[in-house]
Amino acid sequence: MTRRRRSHRSRLLHIAAITTVFTISAGATLSWAWTGGVDQIGLPYGPGPVVLPGPAASTAPGSRPEPPAVAEPGVPMLPGGAMPTGSASAAPSTPGAPSATATTTRAPALAAPAGGPCRTGKKLVPTCGILWGVAPGAFTDTRGKQALVRFEEKTERHQDIYHAYHRGNTQLFPTKEEIAIAREPGRERILFLNWKPRGASWAKIAKGDKATDKFLDRLAAHIKSDFPEQFFFTVHHEAEDNVKEKKGSGYTAKDYSAMYRYVVKRLRAHGVDNLVTVLVHMAYVPHTSQKWFSDMYPGDDVVDWIGFDTYAYSDPGYGHGDFAELLNRQSSARPTWPGFYNWAVENHPGKPLMVAEWGVWSSKKNPGHKAEFYREVGRQIGRFPGIRAMVHFDTPHNQEGRDSSVDATPESLRAYRKLGKLPIFQVQVAPALP
């Protein structure tokens, strides 16, 4: 009789334990799903991730209110909404180089506001979340709309930004094809257009080169009459590679900033007020640590966004790491360089940041790295609140034969698809007149 009572009591305790474990497991699964894993269990997406309560925003004069903290998958939140410095989102240390970490552990305003979803606002800065874009078919013969359609089909999502490149004084932009891409009904996109001048040095352009002035005036008339919508615009992206810091070269860092400033102000003087300017840097230590690097800045009045181009490498060695390493790449040869993201938020705190070109170079020796890197982006993006746009550079081969295509392997394509479906990257594009 005693043995039966014990057996019955044991069964009751066992059932209760199973019920408790199931309840905890279900709650944890739903919590994880809401913060980015919903595509894996078939749940519909909501307007954004769960926003956890944080400290009240500061109202001190000149201070900026702290954005709400957002839970990351696998990262516990501390009291007040802070994230632990030793969390999974912290960048691993790289042998011979300082640790690449963000200057802030606060997450950006990711969730949709009560009045509706995230959308583009003033100067195309999203009200919340991060714009998602691509330069499709780079270094191939299928650039343009054809490449964009293929990219959107294989990645299973609409691109907020379409990135294209122009050079010289012959072709006016945006082209008819680019205008059609921006205005596709129900699938509107923001154009991001690079222009690299030719035929005159930076110094000559800044002083009023006749041929360049003639082109800029034609360009201004074209934009005013054919495309009044706002679009991202940069002058000679990655100019660091062309700096010749020698008096009279015409290509010093100060020559560049003067040229950039001249181009923007001349276009504006002719009524082009829909340019949202992006200063695009090469985020590499040999350039960023030069004494002349700060001389490249044209001025707050002609720079709306700060952009930077940076790539991850799948082969161990230089550039091999996670997303935090990509944004804050450092070097033991330049121990004082804090990493580009850290530098940008410190030196240009009022400017939104754009990863204007990014990607992961494939490796036959380490084919799984690309997929894992995309997963790291999803886990770590909340730790870099200054970033408001990310534009992938998609090519099966660059000048050196490197492959950044998101579908390099079936696994990498699946990971990229999931990344693009995270709530933080859901921003409604509403191109507006300035």
Side-chain angles (χ1 to χ4, degrees):
M1 199 64 178
T2 304
R3 186 176 300 172
R4 286 180 180 178
R5 287 198 196 99
R6 288 177 179 173
S7 178
H8 180 67
R9 183 180 303 169
S10 177
R11 285 197 299 273
L12 290 176
L13 291 173
H14 184 65
I15 292 172
I18 291 175
T19 302
T20 301
V21 171
F22 175 81
T23 301
I24 295 173
S25 177
T29 299
L30 291 175
S31 175
W32 163 82
W34 189 245
T35 55
V38 295
D39 52 331
Q40 298 192 27
I41 61 176
L43 293 178
Y45 283 103
V50 177
V51 179
L52 302 179
S58 171
T59 55
S63 66
R64 291 180 296 168
E66 287 282 356
V70 179
E72 290 182 67
V75 181
M77 300 294 289
L78 299 178
M83 292 184 180
T85 56
S87 71
S89 289
S93 58
T94 302
S99 175
T101 56
T103 56
T104 177
T105 56
R106 302 290 300 175
L110 309 185
C118 300
R119 60 178 63 249
T120 48
K122 185 178 180 180
K123 295 294 184 180
L124 297 177
V125 179
T127 56
C128 56
I130 298 172
L131 291 166
W132 195 241
V134 67
F139 297 109
T140 71
D141 294 330
T142 57
R143 297 186 298 273
K145 182 60 180 296
Q146 183 180 0
L148 178 62
V149 169
R150 289 181 180 178
F151 187 84
E152 290 187 336
E153 286 178 347
K154 69 184 180 184
T155 58
E156 299 179 348
R157 72 151 286 169
H158 173 74
Q159 297 297 303
D160 305 323
I161 299 173
Y162 171 72
H163 193 181
Y165 301 78
H166 298 274
R167 62 179 63 190
N169 297 345
T170 56
Q171 186 183 50
L172 296 176
F173 55 85
T175 63
K176 290 182 179 179
E177 182 183 53
E178 290 164 354
I179 292 174
I181 287 172
R183 293 176 176 173
E184 185 177 352
R187 298 174 64 82
E188 290 80 9
R189 303 175 183 88
I190 302 168
L191 297 180
F192 178 22
L193 304 179
N194 274 272
W195 178 61
K196 185 176 182 179
R198 278 183 167 180
S201 69
W202 296 339
K204 288 183 179 179
I205 293 174
K207 292 178 181 177
D209 174 66
K210 290 183 178 180
T212 304
D213 283 353
K214 184 177 179 180
F215 173 75
L216 290 175
D217 295 348
R218 288 175 54 226
L219 179 63
H222 166 68
I223 294 173
K224 284 183 64 180
S225 65
D226 294 350
F227 195 75
E229 295 95 332
Q230 289 187 317
F231 67 97
F232 290 121
F233 172 71
T234 191
V235 184
H236 198 148
H237 77 298
E238 298 185 356
E240 287 83 354
D241 226 17
N242 298 104
V243 171
K244 299 176 182 177
E245 203 59 19
K246 182 179 179 181
K247 186 176 181 180
S249 70
Y251 290 95
T252 67
K254 290 183 178 180
D255 290 333
Y256 171 78
S257 62
M259 181 274 296
Y260 186 108
R261 185 175 184 83
Y262 180 88
V263 169
V264 173
K265 290 184 75 67
R266 189 173 185 93
L267 290 173
R268 288 179 177 173
H270 283 73
V272 182
D273 56 359
N274 55 324
L275 300 177
V276 178
T277 56
V278 187
L279 178 65
V280 180
H281 287 292
M282 296 179 74
Y284 296 121
V285 171
H287 301 304
T288 56
S289 60
Q290 296 291 336
K291 293 180 179 179
W292 48 256
F293 181 64
S294 61
D295 292 335
M296 298 188 74
Y297 193 67
D300 284 346
D301 59 328
V302 292
V303 175
D304 297 319
W305 288 58
I306 300 292
F308 59 110
D309 297 350
T310 180
Y311 293 83
Y313 292 74
S314 292
D315 286 322
Y318 174 82
H320 180 74
D322 59 4
F323 186 56
E325 192 279 335
L326 177 81
L327 299 182
N328 272 324
R329 185 160 295 156
Q330 296 170 297
S331 171
S332 58
R334 299 289 189 274
T336 59
W337 174 247
F340 194 92
Y341 178 88
N342 286 343
W343 173 86
V345 296
E346 176 69 23
N347 289 274
H348 303 286
K351 301 295 182 182
L353 305 183
M354 174 191 293
V355 187
E357 284 184 14
W358 75 281
V360 185
W361 300 124
S362 301
S363 168
K364 293 181 179 179
K365 297 179 181 178
N366 191 13
H369 175 259
K370 182 171 288 193
E372 178 55 29
F373 189 92
Y374 294 150
R375 290 189 283 267
E376 288 290 344
V377 175
R379 289 191 284 264
Q380 297 182 355
I381 186 61
R383 302 186 67 81
F384 300 92
I387 295 174
R388 308 314 307 275
M390 291 183 62
V391 184
H392 192 274
F393 188 84
D394 200 71
T395 180
H397 55 78
N398 69 351
Q399 304 100 316
E400 299 173 345
R402 294 195 179 100
D403 177 4
S404 69
S405 55
V406 298
D407 57 343
T409 68
E411 184 186 11
S412 67
L413 179 57
R414 286 192 295 269
Y416 188 83
R417 284 173 177 170
K418 292 176 182 177
L419 176 62
K421 293 175 182 177
L422 294 181
I424 190 173
F425 298 118
Q426 311 311 310
V427 178
Q428 288 189 5
V429 174
L433 300 180

